[in-house]
Amino acid sequence: MIKLVYGPKGAGKTKQLIDAANTEAQNAKGLSVFITDTKRYMYDLAREIRFIDVKDWVIAGEESLCGFVKGVAACNSDHEFIYIDGIARIAGKELKDLAGIFYMLEKISNDNGIVITITCSCAKEDLPDFVAKYA
């Protein structure tokens, strides 16, 4: 399952994502991973959640991010939640150009039973069709 947290820049999407991650971690039976491109929120997450700053791994671009998420999912079969804060920012593309990664993330999610929650800086009415189905 893919979940989407959307809204304009500065609307509190990251806080919503962190709150969801912390709440879900309390009852999670599997592992939780939070992927972002800044260390700013590292200490806001429960310690049970694995925090990954993609800048530490030189992740740049859609293909690189997609491969990285696949690697995270593949490294342990116990993943239950993956959170990606700012997918377009990390991929270095506009949201409308990310159909490929959303397709792959949906496949990863469905094939492995992982709930993937993603933040997108976009108003609901401006979401591309391939993203709007998750809103």
Side-chain angles (χ1 to χ4, degrees), residues 71-90:
V72 166
C75 76
N76 195 318
S77 62
D78 290 342
H79 283 95
E80 187 172 357
F81 299 101
I82 295 177
Y83 307 91
I84 303 173
D85 184 33
I87 193 165
R89 188 178 62 241
I90 295 169

Side-chain angles (χ1 to χ4, degrees), residues 4-9 11 13 95 120-129 131-132 135:
L4 195 64
V5 178
Y6 58 89
K9 187 172 172 87
K13 296 176 299 298
L95 185 59
C120 299
S121 291
C122 190
K124 184 173 185 169
E125 59 273 5
D126 296 330
L127 290 170
D129 290 340
V131 177

Side-chain angles (χ1 to χ4, degrees), residues 14 17 34-39 51-69 82-95 98 101 105 117-121:
T14 299
L17 189 67
F34 191 95
I35 300 171
T36 188
D37 63 347
T38 177
K39 290 184 179 32
F51 177 86
I52 301 174
D53 180 350
V54 295
K55 289 181 181 175
D56 292 340
W57 300 96
V58 196
I59 305 302
E62 178 182 7
E63 291 177 12
S64 181
L65 177 59
C66 189
F68 187 78
V69 173
I82 295 177
Y83 307 91
I84 303 173
D85 184 33
I87 193 165
R89 188 178 62 241
I90 295 169
K93 290 186 173 182
E94 292 186 36
L95 185 59
L98 294 177
I101 195 167
L105 291 175
T117 307
I118 302 166
T119 63
C120 299
S121 291

